[in-house]
Amino acid sequence: MQRQLINDKKYLQRFILALGLVIIALSAIAFPASATGIYQIPKVTPGASPWVIDQSEVLSRINEGTISSNLEKLAKQTGNEVRIVTIRRLDYGETPESFAKGLFKKWFPTPEAQANQTLLVIDTLSSGTAIETGTKSLLTDDIATSVVNETILAPLKQDEKYNQAFLDASSRLIAVLSGETDPGPPQIVANVSTERTFKTAEETGSSNATVWVIGFLIAATVIPMATYYLYVK
């Protein structure tokens, strides 16, 4: 009788361990990276870095450094400042536009502080993009809309080229805010399919996680039952 109780205790321990592994694996899929609110973005001081806040980590270090250096040079030469922010995911009910407005007001609370500022925000989960500009900005509404809907989105439709998107966008903004002629959006080659025929790393990771969860679930159910069955036999 005592031996049976010991074996039952071991069986219960194995079952709890297997169930715990399943819960951990399910949590990794059920609860993705938390959403980002405006108060989670570092404070920015006018006239000083950072110029790029890449919370989504979609930019290479070299390109982030290049963009930051060019935006700093723009600020010193013209007084016009541009900030670029990437986030992984918006809060429920938030839009790129509302997030950009809220962050713009948080960073630059007065009309005087906002005057020469430009803020470009992108939510990489949905590729949603928004831009906010101050009252003295040289960006017209048409150019701002074109930067968001054409300059940035065109490279993103081609295998999610975030580096190219932000290099193109920053170059265009710098040209306009320096008083130069607007170079316009990038030229799109007609009749070229931009649909991906392969999975991104995020999709592959999600698929692999699902396979592991199914495997853990089967193991958590079958192994304890088989062990108990053999014990009873």
Side-chain angles (χ1 to χ4, degrees):
M1 181 67 179
Q2 184 178 2
R3 183 177 180 182
Q4 181 178 353
L5 290 174
I6 293 174
N7 288 333
D8 286 345
K9 183 177 180 180
K10 290 182 178 178
Y11 160 77
L12 182 60
Q13 289 174 339
R14 291 194 189 100
F15 181 79
I16 293 174
L17 176 61
L19 185 60
L21 291 173
V22 172
I23 292 174
I24 292 173
L26 285 172
S27 298
I29 290 181
F31 301 99
S34 59
T36 301
I38 62 173
Y39 290 98
Q40 294 172 275
I41 305 296
K43 176 65 177 176
V44 161
T45 302
S49 60
W51 308 101
V52 178
I53 299 177
D54 182 25
Q55 291 204 340
S56 293
E57 299 180 347
V58 292
L59 293 173
S60 70
R61 289 186 179 181
I62 293 177
N63 287 327
E64 182 176 345
T66 298
I67 293 172
S68 295
S69 177
N70 292 338
L71 293 180
E72 183 174 16
K73 186 182 299 183
L74 170 73
K76 290 180 178 179
Q77 293 178 347
T78 69
N80 293 314
E81 300 182 11
V82 177
R83 299 305 193 302
I84 296 177
V85 176
T86 74
I87 57 175
R88 291 188 180 89
R89 182 165 164 262
L90 290 167
D91 278 326
Y92 179 76
E94 190 88 88
T95 66
E97 291 77 12
S98 64
F99 184 91
K101 287 180 182 298
L103 185 59
F104 194 73
K105 290 180 179 179
K106 176 199 170 188
W107 280 352
F108 316 113
T110 66
E112 292 76 18
Q114 296 173 2
N116 297 312
Q117 301 293 337
T118 298
L119 171 63
L120 183 61
V121 173
I122 183 167
D123 163 31
T124 55
L125 180 65
S126 65
S127 293
T129 310
I131 191 168
E132 282 291 313
T133 60
T135 54
K136 294 184 179 180
S137 175
L138 298 177
L139 287 176
T140 64
D141 290 342
D142 288 341
I143 294 177
T145 299
S146 178
V147 169
V148 168
N149 294 333
E150 297 179 286
T151 305
I152 291 181
L153 289 186
L156 295 188
K157 291 179 180 178
Q158 301 175 2
D159 307 332
E160 299 182 346
K161 296 180 180 178
Y162 286 99
N163 285 277
Q164 188 64 51
F166 284 111
L167 284 170
D168 290 346
S170 61
S171 295
R172 187 177 180 187
L173 289 173
I174 289 170
V176 174
L177 293 174
S178 296
E180 300 174 5
T181 303
D182 176 20
Q187 297 298 315
I188 306 299
V189 179
N191 300 323
V192 175
S193 174
T194 59
E195 182 178 357
R196 285 189 286 111
T197 58
F198 57 89
K199 290 185 177 181
T200 64
E202 183 178 354
E203 292 169 341
T204 302
S206 177
S207 176
N208 290 339
T210 302
V211 172
W212 277 104
V213 169
I214 294 174
F216 279 129
L217 187 59
I218 293 174
T221 304
V222 174
I223 293 176
M225 291 180 64
T227 302
Y228 186 72
Y229 174 77
L230 292 174
Y231 165 73
V232 173
K233 294 291 290 183

